[in-house]
Amino acid sequence: FQIFFVILLLFIYYFLINSGGGEKARRLHTSRGKLLPRERIDRLLDPGVECIIVANDATVKGGTYYPITVKKHLRAQEIAQQNHLPCIYLVDSGGANLPRQAEVFPDRDHFGRIFYNQARLSSEGISQVKAATGEEVSAEDLGGADLHCKKSGVTDHYALDDNHALHLARKTVRSLNYRKNIEVTIESPESPLYPADELYGIVGDNLKRNFDVREVIARIVDGSKFDEFKAFYGDTLVTGFSRIFGYPVGIIGNNGVLFSESAKKGTHFIELCCQRNIPLVFLQNITGFMVGREYEAGGIAKDGAKMVTAVACASVPKITVIIGGSYGAGNYGMCGRAYSPRFLYMWPNSRISVMGGEQAATVLATITKDQRAREGKEFTAEQEAAMKEPIVRRFEEEGSPYYSSARLWDDGIIDPAETRMVLGLSLSAALNAPTTKTRFGVFRM
Amino acid sequence: MAAVILSFPTLQGLRIFTQGFDNKRIEKVLIANRGEIACRVMRSAKKMGVRSVAVYSDADTHSMHVAMADEAYHIGPAPSQQSYLSMDKVLEVAKKSGSHAVHPGYGFLSENTEFAEACKQEGIIFIGPPSSAIRDMGIKSTSKHIMSAAGVPIIGGYHGEDQSNEKLQAEAVRIGYPVMIKAVRGGGGKGMRIARSDSDFLEQLESARREARKSFNDDVMLIEKFVEDPRHVEVQVFGDMHGNAVYLFERDCSVQRRHQKIIEEAPAPGISPEVRRKLGEAAVRAAKAVNYVGAGTVEFIMDAQHNFYFMEMNTRLQVEHPVSEMITGTDLVEWQLRVAAGERLPLLQEDIMLRGHSFEARIYAEDPNNDFLPGAGPLLHLSTPSPDQHTRIETGVREGDEVSAHYDPMIAKLVVWGEDRSAALKKLRYCLRQYNIVGLNTNIDFLLNLSGHPEFEAGNVSTSFIPQHYADLFPTPKAPSGATICQAALGLILQERNHTLGFTQSSTDPFSPFGSSSGWRNNILFNRNVTLQVGDKKVDVVIMYNQDGSYSMQVGDEVNHVTGEVEMEGGASFLHCTVNGVKSRPKLVILDNTVHLFSTEGSSQVSVPVPKYRAGVGGSGAQGGAVAPMTGTIEKVLVKAGDKVTVGDPLMVMIAMKMEHTIRAPKSGVIKKVLFSEGSQANRHAPLVELVEEEEQAEGSSQ
């Protein structure tokens, strides 16, 4: 039942995040007749054009850009660029955070990149809509709505208040004359046959206990239907075709460590999906590729490289969900952040690090022990334990999905029971982008 | 007196004349009327294979009666004087269209002797009594003399020149107390007294004289029998050209407002068969006395002891004729056409059976809370109970039509039949609840209050019913409950979901979860803040979208659990919903920004306030701004730009529907602009002034 604490913690974190800069800041904000950022978004949304929305939260440090703010803004623009989504900016910000100017101003991926991206996105035909909703216009000395609408021509529409601005933004999006072109077949969706909340019980919170990824798939895909590909070959990697909310997907999930056969099967499957223009979903729960003399001799390195090449080159939409462990080269083969999946999410029970904390501590302790031995010094069991303890603790902390999410290594932590919905939304967003033909690199044979 | 003597030979002559034309052909009938009665006549004509010709004014180009007719002719502008009352134009159409007969309906030309004569001269059958009968019955003193001579009880009175106290008192004794002492020149209740006994007669007489002298400078008095809380009972009669006349029992039309009937029933409640027979026979005597042909109504007033006195005879088919049809199983329009063609009456007196009980409720565009002020406007939404053998909806309008300010504001007559009075009344109330109208004020809720009143249920009706039970009939309006607000909010959400569904289904990506309207948010429940306008108050509702598809709605301090769906049934939407475990299914109509809920409890409205940025663009009507309540002329402007006003201050006086209306400030503030000048014409819902709220002003100046 520990999994429920894990889920509860997730909801508590989100509740806190959702309340922005705290009660006092919120009250000050609303007392000025302004809407809170999430409420602005709520009032902006409708079922029309899928958009990326970037809204500053003025209740947090006046909405100024911290290094992580810049990173998040750029990530949003990256999503817009990859998925061809119009961008709506609800600006309510004091600009760059001055004390941190060195971390937000000079470099390539700093504040200026936002405007560079706007220009580039616009050149790619991705619409940019900006609604100034806060301080930016109300300070008349810096140039208010009157000045910019009537005299300077800087702005296009005059809004009386937040609601009006949002109304104008909606009208603008309506006039984008945007049409989503779906280049895949779609079918009428069916709910899975198994209830999603059983996922809590299947996954548990003990990562060392393995679970069959098919149990997860059965609770995510339409009608729990999964056409498995090469079920009896390389069975530590599960591959097959399904539909999620009617969209076709090729699913790649882990059922253990990756062997040569699993890697080759995965490569084959990715090639098929790219040829058929089927989006890929990675359900990542991987400790890595198999190690050992026998496997090295069997060419695990080149087979692993095949899979990594295939994942890197596949230009169909890729969406990754880390449902358990994400360690080492397994992270690469299973489309980790570095492999530019369109979206990457984590379950609250998941872990991410180069290797397990215990394993890392042992490696470091062994090095130290060898070093000591060379120097003829003693390395007692107590000393070893004292050395390993902080390493394990550190890996424990840094492997947490919250540590990851706070650094934008992922696009959010999701409730396992909502995986189907999150994947459906992500696929829907991803299918806005026109198909590009995949060109694979050279596979090491 | 002269008129009486003259009329008899004329009538005799007419009878001989018409009998020479036995069984004339009526294959095409012109209906010189509009609205429900025109439609009613056409239905019977169609049934009989008679072609119908409609006439219409500018205002009725797209009206139902025009659409129903086989042919229709334009006869002039909207005002009835220049269209429906124009004899020349109607006759011209009758000739041009080759109509054999003209059915005048009620009102307009139906009791116009000149028109009846003109028809005869053109060789066109006027469907109605001989013109002499219309004339005789149109003059009250003449009709009373004829009735008195025919042995029909008439109300006693003294109209003599001898004004001595002794004479007047002696007459009062002869008539029998209580009596009414009325100034001959009087009016508006002035110079009018009631003497209940001999002992207070002189005192009341003096008092009446004093007041009359002061008010009219004339103290000539007349004495009349005073009937306390009288009932209005009328008998449907029918005569043919062969000297037959029958009665189709009586109707009770006691409950009236503004001296107009609103609810009628047949037979009259609490009347013994003996009195019923006496009433009928008196009415037939009255009809025979003037050689009546066609449908007519003999009106009586009746006292508490069921004594009845002749009041007048209406020489037309009356509005409330359907209740008589319902209890006798007849079609009086068919009878009219057949009798006009010279046929004998289809039934003899002994063949006419009274069966069950029938009610008619008149649904009017009017505001019962504002002294039944007549209204006009569009029927934005109109849904009715489904008509069947025992439920008739007599109407001349459809959804989308306009109730015109030029004519009678009656929207429909709802007619029901039941085995007995209480069954019929139950049916009436059941059907009234299903009669739902949006777009203008109606008297439907009032009719429900009225028909549900215990005294009405008991059959204790009189012409003073409404003033007597005023407090019960006009309960202080209840503010919609939290549950109602939840229903309205649910209605809005479901409508939004429906729009979304319509949008996504026609898109290239119909199954995208972005179009699911589930309010899904990652790891949090979507909390939506909605402000609703309930009466003159704004109510904040926090709607939480639960994962199971239900909603938690916080209204004030209470949180309600709400689920529901909209289901279509017979073209109307019903909100099948559950609020805190209580299921209900009100009819749901959402128009513009307003949710209208019609339930068994009555109707309620909840609006979405027009956002500030839209308020300037003609939306102020919905916010209860200072707008014209109906089309009319600005009589007086009481404010000018810059004036400060508080809620309720008079802003303008308007004349509309022959009534004066004072337009008051809906909120406190400053007049920014006066949009109409004295003497100009303002359309319904036109904003009359620009009124800026004080806080808005303050806000504006600080920026």
Side-chain angles (χ1 to χ4, degrees), chain B residues 97-412:
Chain B
S97 62
S99 298
H100 303 123
V102 172
H103 193 300
Y106 52 72
F108 294 136
L109 298 168
S110 63
E111 288 172 288
N112 187 317
T113 43
E114 212 185 313
F115 181 67
E117 286 290 339
C119 287
K120 198 171 82 181
Q121 255 147 42
E122 295 291 345
I124 293 163
I125 302 165
F126 174 79
I127 300 179
S131 53
S132 56
I134 303 176
R135 192 181 315 119
D136 290 345
M137 290 298 136
I139 303 163
K140 292 230 166 159
S141 55
T142 311
S143 67
K144 279 197 177 170
H145 279 112
I146 298 171
M147 291 310 142
S148 186
V152 180
I154 60 164
I155 196 120
Y158 172 72
H159 301 240
E161 280 171 26
D162 187 348
Q163 289 283 311
S164 68
N165 287 3
E166 297 71 31
K167 175 66 180 168
L168 291 175
Q169 191 160 18
E171 286 294 329
V173 172
R174 183 185 59 80
I175 295 162
Y177 288 101
V179 296
M180 175 130 53
I181 308 162
K182 237 192 315 195
V184 172
R185 304 277 293 272
K190 289 244 170 77
M192 203 167 89
R193 291 291 183 276
I194 293 151
R196 295 187 183 275
S197 67
D198 214 27
S199 58
D200 73 343
F201 180 81
L202 288 176
E203 191 187 319
Q204 296 298 336
L205 178 64
E206 253 335 289
S207 166
R209 277 176 173 160
R210 245 193 335 267
E211 196 172 81
R213 268 198 302 273
K214 222 188 280 170
S215 307
F216 324 110
N217 206 21
D218 183 316
D219 64 358
V220 179
M221 292 289 148
L222 59 84
I223 312 288
E224 247 179 22
K225 172 86 185 165
F226 175 67
V227 180
E228 203 157 356
D229 296 341
R231 283 171 66 175
H232 175 118
V233 175
E234 58 185 34
V235 179
Q236 176 72 53
V237 293
F238 227 103
D240 67 14
M241 294 176 190
H242 310 278
N244 304 307
V246 295
Y247 63 89
L248 294 101
F249 309 107
E250 78 287 353
R251 301 186 281 256
D252 190 306
C253 318
S254 299
V255 180
Q256 306 189 355
R257 53 98 185 85
R258 285 175 167 248
H259 304 291
Q260 281 183 314
K261 302 160 184 172
I262 35 174
I263 200 158
E264 298 105 336
E265 58 181 301
I271 303 275
S272 69
E274 176 65 14
V275 173
R276 176 159 300 132
R277 191 178 50 77
K278 277 195 197 156
L279 267 169
E281 284 170 2
V284 167
R285 272 202 303 282
K288 284 193 168 165
V290 289
N291 291 325
Y292 199 81
V293 175
T297 299
V298 185
E299 291 190 353
F300 298 98
I301 57 171
M302 184 179 263
D303 67 16
Q305 285 72 47
H306 294 181
N307 299 308
F308 55 88
Y309 310 95
F310 173 82
M311 230 166 26
E312 60 177 341
M313 181 168 183
N314 295 321
T315 55
R316 58 167 193 267
L317 187 70
Q318 289 203 199
V319 178
E320 60 273 26
H321 74 274
V323 290
S324 298
E325 294 180 325
M326 296 300 268
I327 58 161
T328 54
T330 52
D331 177 345
L332 296 182
V333 173
E334 183 188 337
W335 282 33
Q336 281 189 304
L337 289 166
R338 288 169 68 170
V339 163
E343 286 185 40
R344 286 174 178 278
L345 284 174
L347 295 174
L348 297 172
Q349 190 64 58
E350 52 270 33
D351 300 326
I352 303 172
M353 296 295 160
L354 191 163
R355 212 183 137 243
H357 202 99
S358 178
F359 277 98
E360 173 184 282
R362 299 191 191 183
I363 294 164
Y364 275 98
E366 64 182 18
D367 186 358
N369 294 315
N370 194 1
D371 198 22
F372 298 96
L373 184 72
L379 295 159
L380 298 177
H381 170 86
L382 171 68
S383 54
T384 72
S386 41
D388 57 36
Q389 203 189 337
H390 300 145
T391 313
R392 282 166 63 176
I393 290 143
E394 298 288 345
T395 188
V397 288
R398 301 148 297 190
E399 184 172 273
D401 285 354
E402 185 115 357
V403 175
S404 168
H406 294 286
Y407 312 110
D408 184 69
M410 190 167 78
I411 297 168

Side-chain angles (χ1 to χ4, degrees), chain B residues 579-640:
Chain B
V579 179
N580 298 326
V582 180
K583 284 190 185 246
S584 57
R585 55 183 292 280
K587 191 183 283 175
L588 173 74
V589 180
I590 303 179
L591 277 171
D592 296 332
N593 289 314
T594 307
V595 185
H596 302 263
L597 293 162
F598 299 96
S599 71
T600 50
E601 313 298 318
S603 65
S604 40
Q605 283 100 51
V606 175
S607 306
V608 180
V610 177
K612 244 189 224 170
Y613 59 86
R614 274 211 185 136
V617 215
S620 54
Q623 278 189 318
V627 296
M630 56 181 70
T631 303
T633 312
I634 305 296
E635 178 79 357
K636 232 180 238 163
V637 177
L638 305 166
V639 289
K640 58 183 188 307

Side-chain angles (χ1 to χ4, degrees), chain A residues 159-373:
Chain A
L160 297 171
D161 55 18
D162 272 13
N163 280 317
H164 193 197
L166 296 170
H167 173 73
L168 292 170
R170 287 160 61 94
K171 285 216 296 192
T172 306
V173 172
R174 192 176 169 195
S175 66
L176 291 180
N177 190 27
Y178 177 83
R179 192 189 178 89
K180 186 174 177 182
N181 277 321
I182 297 276
E183 294 177 59
V184 296
T185 59
I186 43 177
E187 287 180 7
S188 190
E190 296 169 63
S191 294
L193 299 178
Y194 302 93
D197 53 13
E198 287 179 0
L199 285 169
Y200 301 138
I202 289 160
V203 173
D205 55 329
N206 182 359
L207 286 187
K208 298 206 170 69
R209 200 194 59 169
N210 246 327
F211 57 84
D212 188 345
V213 73
R214 290 182 194 85
E215 295 287 350
V216 176
I217 294 168
R219 283 157 185 84
I220 290 176
V221 302
D222 284 7
S224 299
K225 291 175 194 160
F226 183 56
D227 297 333
E228 196 169 343
F229 174 75
K230 280 185 187 269
F232 300 109
Y233 179 77
D235 59 4
T236 56
L237 191 74
V238 175
T239 55
F241 301 99
S242 278
R243 285 187 183 263
I244 295 176
F245 280 95
Y247 302 120
V249 286
I251 295 177
I252 302 179
N254 303 115
N255 255 0
V257 76
L258 287 166
F259 292 93
S260 276
E261 292 82 2
S262 339
K264 283 190 279 190
K265 170 175 158 182
T267 308
H268 187 174
F269 187 70
I270 291 166
E271 282 187 291
L272 281 179
C273 288
C274 289
Q275 186 132 60
R276 298 175 189 180
N277 192 28
I278 295 173
L280 283 164
V281 171
F282 294 88
L283 300 176
Q284 203 181 110
N285 179 18
I286 180 76
T287 50
F289 285 90
M290 196 65 203
V291 291
R293 198 179 171 75
E294 181 193 340
Y295 300 100
E296 291 297 346
I300 183 79
K302 68 175 187 185
D303 290 332
K306 285 191 189 85
M307 187 170 173
V308 170
T309 301
V311 168
C313 295
S315 62
V316 293
K318 295 172 287 188
I319 298 161
T320 303
V321 186
I322 302 177
I323 63 173
S326 175
Y327 298 109
N331 171 295
Y332 310 154
M334 286 300 287
C335 200
R337 191 63 151 183
Y339 292 78
S340 283
R342 300 280 183 97
F343 299 97
L344 186 146
Y345 305 100
M346 295 182 85
W347 280 7
N349 55 297
S350 63
R351 317 290 307 164
I352 182 164
S353 51
V354 64
M355 58 184 72
E358 191 65 42
Q359 193 189 351
T362 308
V363 170
L364 289 172
T366 311
I367 295 168
T368 309
K369 201 174 181 178
D370 292 352
Q371 202 178 356
R372 292 281 172 93

Side-chain angles (χ1 to χ4, degrees), chain A residues 10 14 18 39 42 45 47-48 50 163-164 167 179-180 182 186-187 189 247 413 415 418 421-422 424-425 428, chain B residues 500 503-504 508-516 518 520-524 526-527 529 547 611-614:
Chain A
L10 172 69
Y14 264 83
N18 206 38
E39 188 153 18
D42 291 340
L45 297 184
E50 287 158 49
N163 280 317
H164 193 197
H167 173 73
R179 192 189 178 89
K180 186 174 177 182
I182 297 276
I186 43 177
E187 287 180 7
Y247 302 120
I413 305 173
D415 176 357
E418 298 288 355
M421 177 57 92
V422 172
L425 293 167
S428 180
Chain B
T500 300
F503 177 87
T504 51
T508 52
D509 192 15
F511 310 121
S512 169
F514 277 114
S516 72
S518 61
W520 187 87
R521 297 288 185 273
N522 191 27
N523 299 325
I524 49 170
F526 177 29
N527 264 316
N529 300 314
Q547 271 182 317
K612 244 189 224 170
Y613 59 86
R614 274 211 185 136

